[in-house]
Structure formats: C-alpha cells, structure tokens
Amino acid sequence: NFEARTLFAPQQPVGYAKVFGGESRSVKLASPQPIKVMVHKNGSDKLIARVVYNGPVRAPIESGQQVGLVKVWRGTNIAMEAPIYAAEPVAAGSTMRRAIDGASELVIGMFRAGAEKLGDGKGNGQGNDQGNGQGNGRGSSGQKTFRAWPLHHL
C-alpha cells in the first residue's frame, strides 16, 4: 500500500542557507542522491518539508560540504530526513562584507533575545523544531530553520 516518491531529484535545489562573511549572502542546497519519501499509493498525504541548519553558515563554503538536513513531516510525524549539501562554493567575502554581516547578526541576535523574552515570559530561549513544519525558526538545539513549505499532495 506504500510506494517511494521522489520529492527532489539529485542536485535539484532543495533550498538556500544564509551565509556569514561570504561573497554571496546565501548558498544553494541540494542532495547528490534523490530525496524520497514513502507515501500511500492511493492516499493524498499532506507533506511539509523544512530545511534545518545551524546558521548562518560561515564562509568559505566548499561545494559538497554538508550544511544541514531536509526534514519531511506527514502530519505531526517526521516521515524522513536527509542530509543536504552546498551545491556551489562560496568564497570568503571582503573585510567590509564580514563587518556588515557581523553587525547584522548582532542586531538580529538582540531582536531574537527580546522576542523570546516576550514570547515565553521567561526568556529561556527554547524553541520548537518539531510538529507540523511551523515554528519560530529556532530549534531547541540552536538550529535555524530556513524554509517550511507544503509539498504537493502525493
């Protein structure tokens, strides 16, 4: 009653990760292997995929370097997860680019700390990286979720 369906073909872009201190502000993510998930043959499973990584990713980045995971949920259960890799190299940026990225991360970090204090009333910074693919963008281990999107009914 189940069959494997390909969600992403080999080298198909799965998403992008933010880059810190690089010539580029982001890096394309892909897998050298097809990313497949088991689905009901006659069902209309609603799947949600998320790219999860510790970020921003510090440049330089080599093509083929593992950056994170793609996680696919079926309802509230993880149906599969697979490693994803940089599909292209990103060289270190100029001193000015690194300074700008450092300043922006400082401001974003202060904003997140304030938002977390307002959100839970305690400021403990605990996030949720599970569930239905929706969340606050920060996992409990400090992971950053780049994108969550529903996949076509399979």
Side-chain angles (χ1 to χ4, degrees):
N1 287 354
F2 285 90
E3 65 183 356
R5 297 264 177 98
T6 301
L7 301 179
F8 299 99
Q11 302 307 326
Q12 178 183 354
V14 174
Y16 293 82
K18 184 176 177 186
V19 173
F20 176 86
E23 286 183 349
S24 174
R25 303 290 311 261
S26 63
V27 62
K28 188 185 319 179
L29 305 175
S31 172
Q33 305 296 322
I35 296 175
K36 297 181 177 190
V37 66
M38 297 298 289
V39 296
H40 289 97
K41 280 187 178 180
N42 299 324
S44 60
D45 294 339
K46 181 180 178 184
L47 302 173
I48 296 177
R50 296 174 80 192
V51 171
V52 181
Y53 66 100
N54 289 322
V57 182
R58 185 175 300 271
I61 301 168
E62 296 179 23
S63 182
Q65 175 180 329
Q66 184 175 347
V67 174
L69 297 170
V70 61
K71 295 183 179 185
V72 178
W73 275 264
R74 181 182 299 113
T76 59
N77 300 318
I78 292 180
M80 64 79 59
E81 59 181 60
I84 49 174
Y85 304 88
E88 57 201 6
V90 177
S94 67
T95 302
M96 180 61 78
R97 167 56 44 210
R98 293 191 308 267
I100 291 169
D101 285 355
S104 70
E105 281 302 306
L106 178 66
V107 171
I108 290 169
M110 291 187 322
F111 177 76
R112 278 192 190 128
E116 287 171 352
K117 280 186 178 182
L118 290 174
D120 67 7
K122 298 176 188 173
N124 66 10
Q126 296 298 311
N128 182 358
D129 175 46
Q130 301 174 13
N132 63 3
Q134 321 248 325
N136 61 13
R138 299 288 292 178
S140 57
S141 63
Q143 292 177 329
K144 181 179 285 184
T145 300
F146 179 74
R147 177 177 291 185
W149 67 95
L151 298 171
H152 299 289
H153 290 286
L154 300 176

